[in-house]
Amino acid sequence: MTTPEPSQEIEQLRSEIRAHDRCYYVEAEPTISDREYDRLLENLKQLETEHPELVTPDSPTQRVGGEPIEGFRKAAHAVPMLSIDNTYDEKQLRKWAQRCFEGLDGTYLGFDEKLHDLDEQESVLKGRRDAEAKQIRKNLKLAREELQKNRIATLDLAAKAGFPIDGGYLLEPKIDGIAANLRYEAGVLTLALTRGDGRTGDDVTANIRAIRSIPLRLVAHPSKPFPEVLEVRGEVVMPMPEFQKLNKAMVAEGKEKFVNPRNATAGTMKQLDAAVVASRNLQFFAHGRGEISGEGFGSHDDFLKTLALWGIPTNPLTQHCESIAEAWDFIKDFGSRRTDLDYGVDGVVIKIDRPDLQNRLGNSTRYPHWCIAYKYPAEQVATRLLKVDWQVGKTGRLTPRATMEPVFVAGTTVQHATLHNLGEIRRKDIRLGDTVIIEKAGEIIPQVVEVDLSKRSNKAQPLKPPEACPDCSGAIEREEDGSGKETGRYCVNPECPAQLAERLIHFAARGQMDIEGMGEKIVLQLADAGLLNSFGDVFALHNQREALLNLERMGDKKVDNLLAGIEAAKSRGLDRVLVGLGIRHVGSTVARVLAKHYGSLDALLAASQEDIQSFKVGEKESGIGKEIAASLYGFLHSDTGRHVIAELRDARVTLDMPAAEEAPANQIFSGKTLVVTGKLEKYTRDEIHELVARHGGRASSSISKSTTYLVAGEKAGSKLAKAEQLGVQVLSEGEFEELVREL
Ligand code: IVH
């Protein structure tokens, strides 16, 4: 027997390892033990050490490259990465299926052609008033009525059958992860990009290579050669056990925990050191395609199955359905199973399975018309309310925070929830000892939805709001709405230590002074050490180097970064300072309007309360009313206000605003007319009208041929029908939102 060449032996080992990877990660059916696998990998490493000239980047030993990178390069997507439109109930889902059916079914489309024919025949008669023309017109009218009747009957029948479409629908779990586009050239992974803004993403190739379930080289398959260029899209996720392990380790290192697996995945993908990614056991599920050279696939189902042959992990829980009725049954059934999975699934994506039909339906600017996501309602669980604490926020507002018996909901154990304010507590009639139903808003922040009154014991006690500040014991002020109902309580002691810490956290955070190296943890650490007792103290920290270095987990480098961050933050400008101070009712919009109008803090200080509440921006009201003006004026001319301003001046913080030319708004609606109909959730009609006008368009109340867009909300009626008839582009509220998101 001859000994094989080292190069042959190496290639042999590599393909063996790739095949095992495929069995393990794609089929979930390992064919060898972990020990045997490790031995193969060790052998390969050994041979590669002996023959370094034979090492190639696609070798399974080369997942984590050398040094951490400096930052992420941006690169353009070969094909834009679109988003998916969402639905929340069966009715909306059926509406989507109906739209697909109407756009695809041959018989149905035939009616339109025939109707068009009739129109043509009628137009030939133009101007003729003779008996023959009259007769033809009459016949045409009858024919039209007949066709319309058949059209409606066809649609009725289709609706009853659940809008069957050739090739059917493919259903996939909607995976709550981080999207990535993987590019393979000649079977080798060459580039991985995040979604970014859909046109360009971050180059995360080094990190993607560190995910072991993603092949660096595709596994060749005899009957299905892979194309020269293959772009695969999918979700990177962190399995629940991995997430829990990671958070434990973060706590042990004194670091902030991740709130959910999705954030942990995002945080991991942002690592500059791929070795960190490799240590976290991320997974990948492919669900879509980007650029692909050569011949297409017969169906999306076929595409996914082929990916699996090549070693790319796909989700095993897909389901093919013939009708939307079948799809709905699957969605209902899957709803109760999804929470048992060890990765987050927040819905089901429903796709037209045949790629040629997908192409016929096409895309809107943001979404494909051929797929839609059904999102499950937030998971709700019951638990008992044990205690309510009142926390002091940065404006002095007291916020009730519930402590409950710990329960597992939407992926994590929850013990605390915000109760928002006193009004909310009264409205929901929440009492101590009650059984409360909680859910996570946006799958992150726990909320009390309601009380289960059937479980209320007669010992349940109404909640009493505090009569003094729970932190400094200072006086409390009540806030009431117009009718005298109490809506909130405030600690009005400006020196209240609880407020100060909160105010400083807000001051240093992104959007305000954006001080690098001064996150919540550091602010609290510095405040605890007595180094921060006022805003001015932030800018005096450079005199406290020694004290800083004495703090735990503070080295030279960290202190340098912190001080540099503070220095850089001084020149953010007046608007950012105004928001940073956390004055009640002065948020970022108000601050920008003020800074633009007055130009400097001095001018603002010289203004009367009257002036602040009545100045105009161009022809229009500034939006700053009595309440805002009173709060701002009150702060600026209070002892605390004067003191804070003096400190900022001393520290040479920029307190004015270069009068920038107002950039003309992007004119995306130029020459376009838009009509709104139906019930909208996020926008009022006036808001949409204003947006459209500002960006060059015209809003109208009736549909005509010259209408560009119809924004159709819930219960859109005749206008929607007319728009469809005239071929006017119809946008859902979500689509409209996407359209104007970047403005
Ligand atoms: S298909 C053209 N299928 O959800 C859009 N996307 O909210 C094709 N997602 O951007 C996407 N699971 O990152 C598709 N089974 C699935 C998915 C899925 C999760 C992500 C995807 C998309 C986002 C939209």
Side-chain angles (χ1 to χ4, degrees):
M1 207 173 79
T2 52
T3 29
E5 285 289 308
S7 62
Q8 271 180 342
E9 203 177 338
I10 284 180
E11 256 328 308
Q12 169 64 31
L13 272 170
R14 286 178 187 163
S15 56
E16 218 175 301
I17 289 169
R18 286 183 192 120
H20 288 307
D21 281 343
R22 190 185 158 278
C23 293
Y24 186 89
Y25 291 110
V26 180
E27 303 292 341
E29 275 179 12
T31 37
I32 55 171
S33 71
D34 288 0
R35 269 186 60 177
E36 283 169 288
Y37 179 91
D38 290 343
R39 199 172 309 140
L40 290 176
L41 205 61
E42 265 319 306
N43 285 350
L44 177 60
K45 274 189 198 156
Q46 181 62 36
L47 278 168
E48 287 183 350
T49 318
E50 286 162 20
H51 303 278
E53 74 286 359
L54 296 177
V55 177
T56 55
D58 63 341
S59 168
T61 61
Q62 302 299 305
R63 287 202 171 269
V64 178
E67 295 290 297
I69 56 170
E70 298 269 315
F72 297 105
R73 182 182 73 97
K74 290 214 179 310
H77 287 290
V79 179
M81 267 178 106
L82 302 183
S83 187
I84 316 180
D85 204 2
N86 293 322
T87 56
Y88 300 91
D89 60 36
E90 185 187 3
K91 209 172 123 209
Q92 293 174 331
L93 187 62
R94 290 186 70 95
K95 251 193 206 162
W96 168 79
Q98 176 175 341
R99 281 199 300 275
C100 291
F101 177 86
E102 288 176 1
L104 294 173
D105 186 81
T107 325
Y108 189 80
L109 286 168
F111 292 120
D112 278 343
E113 278 161 34
K114 284 184 193 139
L115 281 167
H116 185 73
D117 268 3
L118 298 181
D119 286 347
E120 300 259 288
Q121 288 176 43
E122 176 133 18
S123 68
V124 175
L125 303 176
K126 208 167 165 195
R128 276 180 58 187
R129 299 194 166 277
D130 54 300
E132 189 196 19
K134 263 191 192 155
Q135 186 57 43
I136 300 176
R137 275 204 193 93
K138 206 165 147 197
N139 292 344
L140 285 172
K141 183 163 175 258
L142 286 174
R144 193 174 285 120
E145 279 168 5
E146 184 66 22
L147 270 171
Q148 290 286 24
K149 229 168 59 199
N150 285 340
R151 186 185 199 210
I152 291 166
T154 305
L155 196 57
D156 260 5
L157 218 64
K160 283 206 187 81
F163 302 108
I165 281 173
D166 281 346
Y169 302 84
L170 194 72
L171 275 58
E172 296 171 20
K174 183 168 192 313
I175 296 159
D176 195 13
I178 301 298
N181 182 79
L182 315 182
R183 184 177 176 94
Y184 290 87
E185 289 176 20
V188 176
L189 177 65
T190 52
L191 179 67
L193 297 179
T194 60
R195 191 174 116 84
D197 63 3
R199 316 268 146 186
T200 52
D202 285 338
D203 178 347
V204 287
T205 314
N207 287 350
I208 286 290
R209 288 174 60 93
I211 300 175
R212 285 196 32 197
S213 58
I214 294 179
L216 299 180
R217 170 183 277 279
L218 300 178
V219 179
H221 194 273
S223 63
K224 290 259 189 185
F226 42 74
E228 178 59 28
V229 174
L230 172 71
E231 284 192 356
V232 173
R233 290 172 177 176
E235 303 292 303
V236 177
V237 294
M238 184 178 288
M240 190 48 88
E242 189 64 27
F243 167 70
Q244 279 154 348
K245 198 175 95 192
L246 174 63
N247 265 352
K248 242 192 195 158
M250 298 290 274
V251 172
E253 289 170 37
K255 293 193 190 136
E256 196 90 26
K257 284 201 280 188
F258 288 108
V259 287
N260 59 25
R262 187 173 192 281
N263 287 19
T265 311
T268 306
M269 289 307 290
K270 288 203 184 102
Q271 292 289 327
L272 298 174
D273 184 357
V276 177
V277 184
S279 73
R280 290 194 185 164
N281 197 19
L282 296 177
Q283 287 194 16
F284 179 80
F285 293 114
H287 55 56
R289 54 203 151 94
E291 183 186 348
I292 298 182
S293 58
E295 252 175 68
F297 296 81
S299 69
H300 183 60
D301 201 11
D302 178 34
F303 168 67
L304 294 176
K305 291 199 168 101
T306 310
L307 291 184
L309 289 181
W310 294 332
I312 295 176
T314 52
N315 194 283
L317 302 172
T318 58
Q319 171 75 41
H320 188 272
C321 294
E322 293 300 333
S323 72
I324 208 70
E326 246 180 69
W328 183 247
D329 285 342
F330 174 82
I331 290 171
K332 276 191 295 189
D333 174 61
F334 186 59
S336 55
R337 289 186 284 133
R338 70 176 171 121
T339 43
D340 300 338
L341 300 170
D342 71 2
Y343 48 87
V345 167
D346 56 355
V348 172
V349 181
I350 302 103
K351 302 176 181 175
I352 301 292
D353 199 18
R354 262 175 51 180
D356 57 327
L357 300 187
Q358 294 179 355
N359 288 343
R360 272 196 11 220
L361 287 170
N363 306 325
S364 76
T365 44
R366 307 281 171 158
Y367 311 118
H369 292 305
W370 49 265
C371 83
I372 197 145
Y374 168 80
K375 292 264 212 100
Y376 288 108
E379 186 193 350
Q380 299 192 335
V381 297
T383 180
R384 233 166 64 89
L385 177 63
L386 303 175
K387 185 172 90 160
V388 172
D389 296 309
W390 295 78
Q391 294 187 320
V392 189
K394 67 176 188 299
T395 56
R397 190 186 184 98
L398 302 186
T399 309
R401 176 172 180 259
T403 302
M404 301 154 307
E405 271 168 14
V407 276
F408 194 75
V409 53
T412 56
T413 301
V414 163
Q415 197 173 359
H416 300 289
T418 171
L419 296 173
H420 299 290
N421 54 46
L422 193 61
E424 177 104 348
I425 293 180
R426 294 199 171 140
R427 196 167 48 250
K428 292 179 180 165
D429 189 19
I430 300 171
R431 304 188 189 180
L432 282 184
D434 268 344
T435 296
V436 289
I437 309 297
I438 64 168
E439 69 175 31
K440 285 193 192 161
E443 307 274 333
I444 299 184
I445 306 158
Q447 312 257 21
V448 171
V449 184
E450 60 180 1
V451 172
D452 183 347
L453 288 174
S454 71
K455 299 228 171 80
R456 172 169 285 171
S457 99
N458 48 17
K459 289 201 210 93
Q461 297 160 26
L463 289 165
K464 282 203 211 83
E467 297 301 333
C469 171
D471 206 79
C472 70
S473 312
I476 291 287
E477 204 174 84
R478 284 159 220 268
E479 185 187 64
E480 292 174 354
D481 66 8
S483 64
K485 244 203 340 252
E486 184 176 327
T487 51
R489 291 187 179 203
Y490 290 81
C491 164
V492 287
N493 171 12
E495 320 263 69
C496 171
Q499 269 183 71
L500 188 72
E502 290 298 326
R503 278 169 182 264
L504 286 168
I505 290 169
H506 170 79
F507 185 68
R510 206 180 311 144
Q512 288 75 256
M513 300 313 279
D514 194 8
I515 303 181
E516 255 206 79
M518 203 163 164
E520 179 167 344
K521 275 253 152 91
I522 300 285
V523 174
L524 291 174
Q525 192 185 10
L526 298 178
D528 274 350
L531 292 172
L532 290 181
N533 296 303
S534 68
F535 291 108
D537 282 355
V538 172
F539 301 101
L541 282 174
H542 60 275
N543 297 324
Q544 303 272 12
R545 221 190 147 82
E546 281 308 305
L548 287 171
L549 284 168
N550 279 336
L551 296 176
E552 234 177 276
R553 294 188 300 278
M554 271 284 186
D556 263 317
K557 195 159 170 217
K558 223 165 151 190
V559 170
D560 283 346
N561 285 344
L562 174 64
L563 295 178
I566 292 171
E567 204 48 41
K570 284 186 183 171
S571 52
R572 302 268 182 251
L574 178 60
D575 57 336
R576 304 273 287 264
V577 175
L578 285 175
V579 209
L581 294 178
I583 305 162
R584 263 178 82 196
H585 306 307
V586 180
S588 58
T589 311
V590 168
R592 255 201 307 276
V593 171
L594 287 166
K596 214 180 260 169
H597 179 73
Y598 289 104
S600 73
L601 185 63
D602 287 326
L604 181 58
L605 284 168
S608 65
Q609 183 172 328
E610 205 25 40
D611 186 55
I612 296 175
Q613 94 184 42
S614 59
F615 72 81
K616 293 219 156 42
V617 178
E619 305 279 279
K620 289 203 210 118
E621 300 292 322
S622 72
I624 296 174
K626 201 166 161 191
E627 206 176 7
I628 302 176
S631 164
L632 174 67
Y633 188 87
F635 175 83
L636 293 176
H637 300 278
S638 69
D639 286 346
T640 325
R642 271 194 290 269
H643 176 67
V644 169
I645 292 167
E647 282 189 324
L648 296 178
R649 266 195 227 284
D650 281 350
R652 308 185 144 272
V653 172
T654 305
L655 296 175
D656 56 13
M657 195 75 174
E661 283 286 303
E662 189 170 351
N666 172 346
Q667 301 291 299
I668 58 160
F669 290 117
S670 166
K672 297 185 172 163
T673 311
L674 177 144
V675 178
V676 184
T677 186
K679 217 179 104 221
L680 302 179
E681 281 176 9
K682 296 196 180 139
Y683 294 91
T684 64
R685 262 173 218 211
D686 286 345
E687 277 167 346
I688 293 193
H689 290 178
E690 207 217 289
L691 254 170
V692 170
R694 188 144 36 88
H695 297 282
R698 203 170 66 81
S700 155
S701 57
S702 61
I703 299 268
S704 73
K705 264 197 186 147
S706 60
T707 309
T708 325
Y709 299 119
L710 174 72
V711 179
E714 272 294 283
K715 303 216 169 81
S718 60
K719 281 187 191 158
L720 179 59
K722 186 151 182 213
E724 281 169 350
Q725 196 189 353
L726 292 172
V728 169
Q729 186 174 354
V730 178
L731 301 176
S732 67
E733 187 175 10
E735 281 175 321
F736 176 78
E737 197 186 1
E738 287 278 326
L739 191 66
V740 298
R741 194 166 59 178
E742 316 263 321
L743 295 181

